[in-house]
Amino acid sequence: MTTLAANKVRDYQMGDKEEYPVIAADIIYQGAAVGENGSGYARPLVAGDPFMGFAESKADNAAGAAGAINVNVKKRGNIVLPIAAIAITANDRPAVYASDDDTFTLTASTNTLIGYVSRWVSTGVAVVEFDTALCKAALQA
């Protein structure tokens, strides 16, 4: 193996952001939970999809072929979300799941793990700590 003998410019990526190709004929809206469709393409999350993060801006591929555009996602951080039946007792950090790109619940069922309650805000609202790598690891455990 050869070691470097001179400086080498590297392409560094922001640690909490990523971009993924979008499925054909769909739109992912800003703030949507994004899932992977099983073929490597991003889409508005469907229950059971692997979680890819939250869309930072609208990705309109309504008239495009699969992969014609990319969606930029935030793959870890804290986000304020509406969560069905959340109460102050949720400060014990329960898991949060999504059944679609904008429906969040504490019910696992066939839903997708997206993170954990960080802090209760008010009835039906909480701060959720999310990290796509940790969600993937939890599914593989």
Side-chain angles (χ1 to χ4, degrees):
M1 183 177 329
T2 305
T3 62
L4 286 176
N7 294 333
K8 186 169 192 173
V9 177
R10 303 272 187 196
D11 181 12
Y12 293 97
Q13 304 292 305
M14 295 296 293
D16 64 345
K17 297 182 182 186
E18 190 57 82
E19 67 178 15
Y20 299 104
V22 177
I23 64 170
D26 211 339
I27 299 171
I28 300 173
Y29 290 94
Q30 179 180 353
V34 178
E36 193 263 315
N37 74 341
S39 297
Y41 293 101
R43 66 178 175 186
L45 187 138
V46 174
D49 281 354
F51 177 54
M52 300 175 89
F54 287 95
E56 291 194 306
S57 58
K58 181 178 175 182
D60 187 345
N61 201 26
I69 67 164
N70 289 335
V71 62
N72 293 314
V73 301
K74 186 141 173 95
K75 61 183 185 174
R76 73 173 175 250
N78 291 347
I79 187 169
V80 177
L81 294 175
I83 303 171
I86 195 82
I88 195 166
T89 55
N91 279 335
D92 63 352
R93 300 186 52 82
V96 178
Y97 301 87
S99 60
D100 63 37
D101 68 341
D102 194 37
T103 305
F104 307 100
T105 179
L106 301 179
T107 304
S109 184
T110 59
N111 298 320
T112 298
L113 175 66
I114 63 145
Y116 298 87
V117 171
S118 176
R119 179 174 52 87
W120 176 83
V121 174
S122 63
T123 301
V125 179
V127 176
V128 175
E129 184 175 356
F130 67 98
D131 185 326
T132 59
L134 293 179
C135 288
K136 182 176 182 179
L139 293 174
Q140 294 175 339

